[in-house]
Amino acid sequence: MVLALVAGILGVAAGPSAAAQKSCVTRMKDDFGKVKTYNWCNIKKVKYVGLQTGKNYISIVQGRGPMTLTLTATETVSNTKSSSIDVSAGAVSAAVGFDVTRSRTKSMAGSWVVPKGKFGTLKAYPVYKAYSFKAYSKVDGKYVGKGVARKAIGYRYAHSAR
């Protein structure tokens, strides 16, 4: 069983090209039905790329002026990872220094004065510290893909009036 498993994995990993494989992870069931995950890539060249704002707002308040919009809430925001290949969260977490699957609950408060006669909107967006990384095959050392890991650190507020 073990020899067949190793031979099968090496056959897949040593195929035509590691880049064509698009996966650094193999998941297989053992004799007891438990899923085992095997990581076939090293995560290297981790680089801080700056702050990034999430695309979707997580909280919103609206109202007609003159008034002060106040946004006070406690929200749960998750760290994230995205990549051009299937790579394990554990391998990325170890390389970037934080758990990419962890969620954080944070409190926020912000306010904005809506001008007289205008309808105002105040939105809160999550802010992340972003780190790029590259994945290399453990079998032949070749580059197989890249990705970004994001750590939730706070919020950014955006306001508008019409």
Side-chain angles (χ1 to χ4, degrees), residues 20-97:
Q21 176 183 335
K22 295 294 182 191
S23 180
C24 286
V25 179
T26 302
R27 292 174 185 88
M28 299 180 150
K29 287 186 179 180
D30 64 14
D31 292 337
F32 304 103
K34 184 177 178 183
V35 176
K36 297 271 189 178
T37 301
Y38 300 93
N39 180 25
W40 298 104
C41 289
N42 287 318
I43 305 299
K44 298 179 181 178
K45 298 188 179 179
V46 175
K47 178 182 171 189
Y48 175 70
V49 293
L51 297 179
Q52 294 182 349
T53 301
K55 294 179 181 178
N56 300 315
Y57 65 87
I58 56 173
S59 196
I60 184 173
V61 292
Q62 297 179 313
R64 183 157 307 281
M67 74 176 296
T68 300
L69 294 177
T70 301
L71 184 76
T72 305
T74 300
E75 297 287 340
T76 300
V77 181
S78 298
N79 296 338
T80 65
K81 78 165 177 67
S82 59
S83 60
S84 61
I85 54 163
D86 182 17
V87 61
S88 76
V92 174
S93 295
V96 298

